[in-house]
Amino acid sequence: MNPIKKIFDLTEPHFTGSGRFARIEPLFDAAKTVFFFPSPVNRVMPFIRDNLDLKRYMTFVLVALVPVILFGIYNTGLQSGIARGQQLDVVAAILLGVRYVLPIIVVSYVVGFFWEILFAVVRKHKISEGFFVTGMLFPLTLPATIPLWQVALGISFGVVMGKEVFGGTGRNILNPALTARAFIFFSYPVSMSGNVWIAGTNGVDAVSSATALATTGVDGGTITQALSQAGFSLTNLFWGFVPGSIGETSALCCLLGGAFLVITRIGNFRIIAGGIIGLVATSLAFYLVPGNASTWGHAGPLYHLCAGGFLFGICFMATDPVSAPGTNPGRWMFGFLIGFLTVVIRVVNPAFVEGTMLAILFMNVFSALLDHGVVKYKSSKRIPNV
Amino acid sequence: MEKIKISKGFTTPLAGMPDIGIIELSDPRTLGLSAMDVPHIRAKLMVKEGDRVQTGAPLFYDKRDKSVQYVSPGTGVIQKIVYGERRRLHEVVISLEGAEDFVEFDPISLSALGEVSRQVLVERLKQGGMWQALRQFPAMDTADASHTPSMIIVSLSGNDPFSPDPGVVFEREQTALHFGLEVLKRLSDRIVVTVREGSLERLGKVKSSVTHTVPDIYPAWNPGAVLYHLKKDSAENSSWCIAADHLVMMARFLMTGRYPTQKIITVTRGREHRPHILTRQGAPVKALIGDFIDRSLITTGRFNGRIVEPDDHLGFFENTLNLIDTPDGEELLGFIRPGKAKATVSKTFLSCLFPEPKEVDCTRHGEVRACINCSYCEKICPNDLMPNFIMKALLSDEIENALECGLLDCCQCGLCSYACPSKIELAQILRHGMDALYKDKQ
Ligand code: SF4
Ligand code: SF4
């Protein structure tokens, strides 16, 4: 017999029934099902079932995140090096990046899982694999300088208020990772704005402007000039060699992950496509309106696309199936409106330069309404059968 | 011949396509009349153990309509009456003895058919144990003879991807099929005869009777799916349907005055290609399946059917048996394996790049979770339903909502449950919803 299987079989009695650790059975169960797929025989029709299950489904999101995570770690090290005036090679940059990023991810997972397990044990539920994704997405939206206690607080809020109070995965209205991030953003704004985007620069006045989105044209210059002067050229933004949240600087990596999600059909292409169309259309509209050339209204679609967390948000956050609409027309509208709102918030409301997060959370609230409208419309087209 | 376009459904090729050869089994020692494959029936027994019965003699009737009789498929002694849960009649087993002895009716010729009144025809079919072959939508209950349906759908292909090939079954039955269609014309003005495109070329002369073809996507040939795609107004919702092999039986019964006892079935398993089997109505499962492993499941349809035990007998509506194997053990780290040979409608296994037929097993492949709104169920539903929304409406007791979303258009193909990554029993939840509603109405 497989040795791993043996360990589980030997320890199982302690965790079930009247065993000593029966209270933490969900934990045991979660560990066991990670290694061995539970597969009871079907007793009701259909007697054959698809091989895809939720574990694989969620795992694929993590796979899609791999380029983002790796690049995020590298870039964190790289930016930190630049700020210190050092030219780091790839290995050194990655090592430095790991030092900053890994603790954030670990704290997010450990604290998040604590809550997951607590709720699972109390409710006698299974531990849901959805958390694997939430626990990774949240750290990727943070600056590397975030204090770890805030990470812990944020993920606690995200898991408990964003998900568990609604009844757990599948029943939540808001995306839990974004809820966590929004909590940090509003409760501890200092940690999320200003010169916080480069790790290890406390006290070093290395950059004049925090992120691309906080840049405005000076002395009547256009926004694009200002951006390239500050190092935010389109190329840099596309590759991601700029300061910013750990996971969202590289447009390329987000697009790679997004493409993987679309190809494997884990992420719905309608949301991503709708979002990009919405963003491009809205930013073009602003671009064509004559006016102050020094604001983000005149940055044009490409800058809007590559700067900030839009691609990260639309590819990984908006496609969270639970908090997005469940109908196809609803998904198009949902995506489009996120793109639209992102630009509007960026241009019109300079207090919240990062519009994507707010746009997605806002649309999360409306996704049930979009679905409702679509279902009503579709039902009205059916030949009644009562 | 018109084409019905149905694009959604199950397209993954499965291993185990039956051979189009045919073998004949000698008469088994027992035959059974099952009550388990008849939906909604409330069976009332008319015989007891030890009684002698002729072929075609009534064994039980439906309490809701006493004239609908279920008759013995053979001549012999009632060996056993098997009850299931809550003393529901499971089946009546007859041990075959002596020469075949039929309950005889007057034969009707094709030319005389026009002179027989509709009422006499219906009575004859009910007495002869053939009427129940006609089912009425949406609950698939026995057709209500007092009602004239706007259409009757005849399906030449069965309920499974590997149901008997119509070419094999109807090769020699052209006259009977023709006769049967004439009978149906007495019951409704519109008769729709469907066959899957892939079976068309082997159909021979029967082809001329076909009015509509459907694509080779399961369950496009299911009468429920056909009705959904054909209907134009709600009067058609209570149409009828019948399987073509039953229609042939019906015709044979009327033409000869004797209960027709033969039937062609398929038995499929893994990568084997077994020939079709010519056997008797109600044959014992054990005699049909040959060798099998205990762990495997025997069903009368992969997606839609019931589980049978080796000691059971094949039901009136069933003409396929599947032996679905259980895998040896749980798979280490199964959720992240590339899966070169795994059947899936998703694009998360390497197997989606390889078109060869996949083997399937009878396990669930995962744990039950809450619905995550992924729409896999919607993407596969042949009748454009959103099973996830209907399921949620049913679970929160919003029957009106569920009906509005088309609950009664569900043809119980089982595909939504097949595809759901959260392993929710959608088809079953919908079935229960429909049944509860139907019971309420009665
Ligand atoms: S709801 Fe499910 S069972 Fe019903 S027709 Fe659609 S896929 Fe088939
Ligand atoms: S397939 Fe399952 S999880 Fe996905 S939407 Fe349908 S019911 Fe929900």
Coordinates of all heavy atoms in Angstrom, one line a residue, chain A residues 223-289:
Chain A
I223 N 0.3 64.3 -19.3 CA 0.4 63.2 -18.4 C 1.4 62.2 -18.9 O 2.2 61.6 -18.1 CB -1.0 62.5 -18.1 CG1 -0.9 61.3 -17.2 CG2 -1.7 62.1 -19.4 CD1 -0.9 61.6 -15.8
T224 N 1.4 61.9 -20.2 CA 2.3 60.9 -20.7 C 3.8 61.3 -20.6 O 4.6 60.5 -20.3 CB 2.0 60.6 -22.2 OG1 1.6 61.9 -22.8 CG2 0.9 59.6 -22.4
Q225 N 4.0 62.6 -20.8 CA 5.4 63.1 -20.5 C 5.8 62.9 -19.1 O 6.9 62.3 -18.8 CB 5.6 64.6 -20.8 CG 5.5 64.9 -22.3 CD 5.3 66.4 -22.6 OE1 5.0 67.1 -21.7 NE2 5.6 66.7 -23.8
A226 N 4.9 63.3 -18.2 CA 5.2 63.1 -16.8 C 5.4 61.7 -16.4 O 6.3 61.4 -15.6 CB 4.0 63.7 -16.0
L227 N 4.6 60.8 -17.0 CA 4.8 59.4 -16.7 C 6.2 58.9 -17.1 O 6.8 58.2 -16.4 CB 3.7 58.6 -17.3 CG 2.3 58.6 -16.6 CD1 1.2 58.0 -17.5 CD2 2.4 57.8 -15.3
S228 N 6.6 59.2 -18.3 CA 7.8 58.6 -18.8 C 9.0 59.3 -18.0 O 10.0 58.6 -17.7 CB 8.0 58.7 -20.3 OG 7.5 59.9 -20.7
Q229 N 8.8 60.5 -17.6 CA 9.9 61.1 -16.8 C 10.0 60.4 -15.4 O 11.1 60.2 -14.9 CB 9.6 62.6 -16.5 CG 10.2 63.5 -17.5 CD 9.6 64.9 -17.5 OE1 9.1 65.3 -16.4 NE2 9.6 65.6 -18.6
A230 N 8.9 60.0 -14.9 CA 9.0 59.3 -13.6 C 9.3 57.8 -13.7 O 9.3 57.1 -12.8 CB 7.6 59.5 -12.9
G231 N 9.6 57.4 -14.9 CA 10.1 56.0 -15.1 C 8.9 55.1 -15.5 O 9.1 53.9 -15.6
F232 N 7.7 55.7 -15.6 CA 6.6 54.8 -16.0 C 6.3 54.8 -17.5 O 5.2 55.1 -17.9 CB 5.3 55.3 -15.2 CG 5.5 55.2 -13.7 CD1 5.4 56.3 -12.9 CD2 5.6 54.0 -13.1 CE1 5.6 56.3 -11.6 CE2 5.7 53.9 -11.7 CZ 5.7 55.0 -10.9
S233 N 7.3 54.5 -18.2 CA 7.0 54.4 -19.7 C 6.1 53.2 -19.9 O 6.0 52.3 -19.1 CB 8.3 54.2 -20.4 OG 8.8 52.9 -20.1
L234 N 5.5 53.2 -21.1 CA 4.5 52.1 -21.4 C 5.2 50.8 -21.3 O 4.7 49.8 -20.8 CB 3.9 52.4 -22.8 CG 2.5 51.9 -23.0 CD1 1.6 52.2 -21.8 CD2 2.0 52.4 -24.3
T235 N 6.5 50.7 -21.9 CA 7.2 49.5 -21.9 C 7.4 49.0 -20.4 O 7.2 47.8 -20.1 CB 8.6 49.6 -22.5 OG1 8.5 50.8 -23.4 CG2 9.0 48.4 -23.2
N236 N 7.9 49.9 -19.6 CA 8.1 49.5 -18.2 C 6.8 49.0 -17.5 O 6.8 48.0 -16.8 CB 8.6 50.7 -17.4 CG 10.1 50.8 -17.4 OD1 10.8 49.9 -18.0 ND2 10.7 51.8 -16.9
L237 N 5.7 49.7 -17.8 CA 4.4 49.3 -17.2 C 4.0 48.0 -17.7 O 3.5 47.1 -17.0 CB 3.4 50.4 -17.5 CG 3.5 51.7 -16.7 CD1 2.5 52.7 -17.3 CD2 3.2 51.4 -15.2
F238 N 4.3 47.7 -19.0 CA 3.9 46.5 -19.6 C 4.6 45.3 -19.0 O 4.1 44.3 -18.6 CB 4.0 46.5 -21.1 CG 3.7 45.2 -21.8 CD1 2.3 44.9 -21.9 CD2 4.6 44.3 -22.2 CE1 2.0 43.7 -22.5 CE2 4.3 43.1 -22.8 CZ 2.9 42.8 -23.0
W239 N 6.0 45.5 -18.9 CA 6.7 44.4 -18.3 C 6.6 44.3 -16.8 O 6.7 43.3 -16.2 CB 8.2 44.6 -18.7 CG 8.5 44.3 -20.1 CD1 8.7 45.3 -21.0 CD2 8.6 43.1 -20.8 NE1 9.0 44.8 -22.3 CE2 8.9 43.4 -22.1 CE3 8.5 41.8 -20.4 CZ2 9.1 42.4 -23.1 CZ3 8.7 40.8 -21.3 CH2 8.9 41.1 -22.7
G240 N 6.4 45.5 -16.2 CA 6.2 45.5 -14.8 C 7.3 45.9 -13.9 O 7.3 45.8 -12.7
F241 N 8.3 46.5 -14.6 CA 9.5 47.0 -13.8 C 9.2 48.3 -13.1 O 10.0 49.3 -13.3 CB 10.8 47.1 -14.6 CG 11.1 45.7 -15.2 CD1 11.1 45.5 -16.6 CD2 11.5 44.7 -14.4 CE1 11.4 44.3 -17.1 CE2 11.8 43.5 -14.9 CZ 11.8 43.3 -16.3
V242 N 8.2 48.4 -12.4 CA 7.8 49.7 -11.7 C 7.4 49.3 -10.3 O 7.0 48.2 -10.0 CB 6.6 50.4 -12.4 CG1 7.0 50.9 -13.8 CG2 5.4 49.4 -12.5
P243 N 7.4 50.3 -9.4 CA 6.9 50.0 -8.0 C 5.4 49.9 -8.0 O 4.7 50.4 -8.9 CB 7.3 51.3 -7.2 CG 8.1 52.1 -8.1 CD 7.9 51.7 -9.5
G244 N 4.9 49.1 -7.1 CA 3.5 48.9 -7.0 C 3.2 47.7 -6.1 O 4.1 47.2 -5.5
S245 N 1.9 47.3 -6.0 CA 1.6 46.2 -5.2 C 2.3 45.0 -5.8 O 2.7 44.9 -6.9 CB 0.1 45.9 -5.3 OG -0.6 47.0 -4.8
I246 N 2.5 44.0 -4.9 CA 3.4 42.9 -5.2 C 3.1 42.2 -6.5 O 3.9 42.0 -7.4 CB 3.4 41.8 -4.1 CG1 3.9 42.4 -2.8 CG2 4.2 40.6 -4.5 CD1 3.6 41.6 -1.6
G247 N 1.8 41.9 -6.7 CA 1.4 41.1 -7.9 C 0.9 41.8 -9.1 O 0.7 41.2 -10.1
E248 N 0.7 43.1 -9.0 CA -0.1 43.7 -10.1 C 0.7 44.6 -11.0 O 0.2 45.2 -11.9 CB -1.2 44.6 -9.5 CG -0.8 45.7 -8.6 CD -2.0 46.4 -7.9 OE1 -2.9 45.8 -7.7 OE2 -1.8 47.6 -7.7
T249 N 2.0 44.7 -10.8 CA 2.8 45.6 -11.7 C 2.9 45.2 -13.1 O 2.9 45.9 -14.0 CB 4.2 45.9 -11.1 OG1 4.9 44.7 -11.0 CG2 4.1 46.6 -9.8
S250 N 3.0 43.8 -13.3 CA 3.3 43.4 -14.7 C 2.1 43.1 -15.5 O 1.4 42.1 -15.2 CB 4.2 42.1 -14.6 OG 4.3 41.6 -15.9
A251 N 1.8 43.9 -16.5 CA 0.7 43.6 -17.3 C 0.8 42.3 -18.1 O -0.1 41.5 -18.2 CB 0.5 44.8 -18.4
L252 N 2.1 42.0 -18.4 CA 2.3 40.8 -19.2 C 2.0 39.6 -18.4 O 1.3 38.7 -18.9 CB 3.8 40.7 -19.6 CG 4.2 39.5 -20.3 CD1 3.6 39.4 -21.7 CD2 5.7 39.3 -20.4
C253 N 2.5 39.5 -17.1 CA 2.2 38.3 -16.3 C 0.7 38.2 -16.1 O 0.2 37.0 -16.1 CB 2.9 38.4 -15.0 SG 4.7 38.3 -15.2
C254 N 0.0 39.3 -15.8 CA -1.5 39.2 -15.6 C -2.1 38.6 -16.9 O -3.0 37.8 -16.8 CB -2.0 40.5 -15.3 SG -1.5 41.2 -13.7
L255 N -1.7 39.1 -18.0 CA -2.3 38.6 -19.3 C -2.0 37.2 -19.5 O -2.9 36.4 -20.0 CB -1.8 39.5 -20.5 CG -2.3 40.9 -20.6 CD1 -1.7 41.6 -21.7 CD2 -3.9 40.8 -20.8
L256 N -0.8 36.7 -19.1 CA -0.5 35.3 -19.2 C -1.4 34.5 -18.4 O -2.0 33.5 -18.8 CB 1.0 35.0 -18.8 CG 2.1 35.4 -19.8 CD1 3.5 35.1 -19.2 CD2 1.9 34.7 -21.1
G257 N -1.5 34.9 -17.1 CA -2.4 34.2 -16.2 C -3.9 34.2 -16.7 O -4.6 33.2 -16.7
G258 N -4.3 35.4 -17.2 CA -5.6 35.5 -17.7 C -5.9 34.6 -18.9 O -6.9 33.9 -19.0
A259 N -4.9 34.5 -19.8 CA -5.0 33.7 -20.9 C -5.1 32.2 -20.5 O -5.9 31.4 -21.0 CB -3.8 33.8 -21.9
F260 N -4.3 31.8 -19.5 CA -4.4 30.5 -19.0 C -5.8 30.2 -18.5 O -6.4 29.1 -18.7 CB -3.4 30.3 -17.9 CG -3.4 28.9 -17.3 CD1 -2.8 27.8 -17.9 CD2 -4.0 28.7 -16.1 CE1 -2.8 26.5 -17.4 CE2 -4.0 27.4 -15.5 CZ -3.4 26.3 -16.2
L261 N -6.3 31.1 -17.7 CA -7.7 30.9 -17.2 C -8.7 30.8 -18.3 O -9.7 30.0 -18.2 CB -8.1 32.1 -16.2 CG -7.3 32.1 -14.9 CD1 -7.8 33.3 -14.1 CD2 -7.5 30.8 -14.1
V262 N -8.6 31.6 -19.3 CA -9.6 31.6 -20.4 C -9.5 30.3 -21.2 O -10.5 29.7 -21.5 CB -9.4 32.8 -21.3 CG1 -10.2 32.7 -22.6 CG2 -9.8 34.1 -20.6
I263 N -8.2 29.9 -21.4 CA -8.0 28.7 -22.2 C -8.6 27.4 -21.5 O -9.3 26.6 -22.1 CB -6.6 28.4 -22.6 CG1 -6.1 29.5 -23.6 CG2 -6.3 27.0 -23.2 CD1 -4.6 29.5 -23.8
T264 N -8.3 27.4 -20.2 CA -8.8 26.2 -19.4 C -10.3 26.4 -19.0 O -10.9 25.6 -18.4 CB -8.0 26.0 -18.1 OG1 -8.0 27.2 -17.4 CG2 -6.6 25.6 -18.5
R265 N -10.9 27.6 -19.4 CA -12.2 27.9 -19.0 C -12.5 28.0 -17.6 O -13.6 27.7 -17.1 CB -13.2 26.9 -19.7 CG -12.9 26.7 -21.2 CD -14.1 26.9 -22.0 NE -13.8 26.8 -23.4 CZ -14.3 25.8 -24.2 NH1 -15.2 25.0 -23.8 NH2 -13.9 25.8 -25.4
I266 N -11.5 28.3 -16.8 CA -11.7 28.4 -15.3 C -12.2 29.9 -15.1 O -13.1 30.1 -14.3 CB -10.4 28.1 -14.6 CG1 -10.1 26.7 -14.7 CG2 -10.6 28.6 -13.1 CD1 -11.1 25.7 -14.1
G267 N -11.6 30.8 -15.8 CA -12.0 32.2 -15.8 C -12.9 32.4 -17.0 O -12.7 31.9 -18.1
N268 N -14.0 33.2 -16.8 CA -14.9 33.4 -17.9 C -14.3 34.5 -18.8 O -14.1 35.6 -18.4 CB -16.2 33.7 -17.4 CG -17.3 33.4 -18.4 OD1 -17.3 34.0 -19.5 ND2 -18.2 32.5 -18.1
F269 N -14.1 34.2 -20.1 CA -13.6 35.2 -21.0 C -14.5 36.4 -21.1 O -14.0 37.5 -21.4 CB -13.2 34.6 -22.4 CG -14.4 34.5 -23.2 CD1 -14.8 35.5 -24.1 CD2 -15.2 33.3 -23.2 CE1 -15.9 35.4 -24.9 CE2 -16.3 33.2 -24.0 CZ -16.7 34.2 -24.9
R270 N -15.8 36.2 -20.9 CA -16.7 37.4 -21.1 C -16.4 38.5 -20.1 O -16.5 39.7 -20.4 CB -18.1 36.9 -20.9 CG -18.5 36.0 -22.0 CD -19.9 35.4 -21.8 NE -20.2 34.3 -22.7 CZ -19.8 33.1 -22.6 NH1 -19.1 32.7 -21.6 NH2 -20.1 32.2 -23.6
I271 N -16.0 38.1 -18.9 CA -15.7 39.1 -17.9 C -14.5 39.9 -18.3 O -14.4 41.1 -18.3 CB -15.6 38.5 -16.5 CG1 -16.9 37.8 -16.1 CG2 -15.1 39.5 -15.5 CD1 -16.8 37.0 -14.8
I272 N -13.4 39.1 -18.7 CA -12.2 39.8 -19.0 C -12.3 40.6 -20.2 O -11.9 41.8 -20.3 CB -11.1 38.7 -19.2 CG1 -10.9 37.9 -17.9 CG2 -9.8 39.4 -19.6 CD1 -9.9 36.8 -18.0
A273 N -12.9 40.1 -21.3 CA -13.1 40.8 -22.5 C -14.0 42.0 -22.3 O -13.7 43.1 -22.7 CB -13.7 39.9 -23.6
G274 N -15.1 41.8 -21.6 CA -16.0 42.9 -21.3 C -15.3 44.0 -20.5 O -15.4 45.2 -20.8
G275 N -14.4 43.6 -19.6 CA -13.7 44.6 -18.8 C -12.7 45.4 -19.6 O -12.7 46.7 -19.5
I276 N -12.0 44.7 -20.5 CA -11.0 45.4 -21.3 C -11.7 46.4 -22.3 O -11.4 47.5 -22.5 CB -10.1 44.4 -22.1 CG1 -9.2 43.7 -21.0 CG2 -9.2 45.1 -23.1 CD1 -8.4 42.6 -21.5
I277 N -12.8 45.9 -22.9 CA -13.6 46.7 -23.8 C -14.1 48.0 -23.1 O -14.0 49.1 -23.5 CB -14.8 46.0 -24.4 CG1 -14.3 44.8 -25.3 CG2 -15.7 46.9 -25.2 CD1 -15.3 43.9 -25.8
G278 N -14.7 47.7 -21.9 CA -15.2 48.9 -21.1 C -14.1 49.9 -20.8 O -14.3 51.1 -20.9
L279 N -13.0 49.4 -20.4 CA -11.9 50.3 -20.0 C -11.4 51.1 -21.2 O -11.2 52.3 -21.2 CB -10.7 49.5 -19.4 CG -9.5 50.3 -19.0 CD1 -9.5 50.4 -17.5 CD2 -8.2 49.8 -19.5
V280 N -11.2 50.4 -22.3 CA -10.7 51.0 -23.5 C -11.7 52.1 -24.0 O -11.3 53.2 -24.3 CB -10.4 50.0 -24.6 CG1 -10.1 50.6 -26.0 CG2 -9.2 49.1 -24.2
A281 N -12.9 51.6 -24.1 CA -14.0 52.6 -24.6 C -14.0 53.8 -23.7 O -14.1 54.9 -24.2 CB -15.3 51.9 -24.7
T282 N -14.1 53.6 -22.5 CA -14.2 54.8 -21.6 C -13.0 55.7 -21.6 O -13.1 56.9 -21.6 CB -14.5 54.3 -20.1 OG1 -15.4 53.2 -20.2 CG2 -15.0 55.4 -19.3
S283 N -11.8 55.1 -21.6 CA -10.7 55.9 -21.6 C -10.5 56.7 -22.9 O -10.0 57.8 -22.9 CB -9.4 55.1 -21.3 OG -9.3 54.0 -22.1
L284 N -10.9 56.0 -24.0 CA -10.9 56.7 -25.3 C -11.9 57.9 -25.3 O -11.5 59.0 -25.7 CB -11.4 55.8 -26.4 CG -10.3 55.1 -27.2 CD1 -10.9 54.2 -28.3 CD2 -9.4 56.2 -27.8
A285 N -13.0 57.7 -24.7 CA -14.0 58.8 -24.6 C -13.4 60.0 -23.9 O -13.5 61.1 -24.3 CB -15.3 58.3 -23.9
F286 N -12.8 59.7 -22.7 CA -12.2 60.8 -22.0 C -11.0 61.4 -22.8 O -10.8 62.6 -22.7 CB -11.6 60.2 -20.6 CG -12.6 60.2 -19.5 CD1 -13.1 59.0 -19.1 CD2 -13.1 61.4 -19.0 CE1 -14.0 58.9 -18.0 CE2 -14.0 61.3 -17.9 CZ -14.5 60.1 -17.5
Y287 N -10.3 60.6 -23.5 CA -9.2 61.1 -24.2 C -9.6 62.1 -25.3 O -8.9 63.1 -25.6 CB -8.5 59.9 -24.9 CG -7.2 60.2 -25.5 CD1 -6.0 60.5 -24.7 CD2 -7.0 60.1 -26.9 CE1 -4.8 60.7 -25.3 CE2 -5.8 60.4 -27.5 CZ -4.7 60.7 -26.7 OH -3.5 61.0 -27.2
L288 N -10.8 61.8 -25.9 CA -11.2 62.6 -27.0 C -11.8 63.9 -26.5 O -12.0 64.9 -27.3 CB -12.2 61.9 -27.8 CG -11.6 60.6 -28.5 CD1 -12.7 59.8 -29.3 CD2 -10.4 61.0 -29.4
V289 N -12.2 64.0 -25.2 CA -12.7 65.3 -24.7 C -11.6 66.2 -24.5 O -10.6 65.9 -23.7 CB -13.5 65.0 -23.4 CG1 -13.9 66.4 -22.8 CG2 -14.6 64.1 -23.6

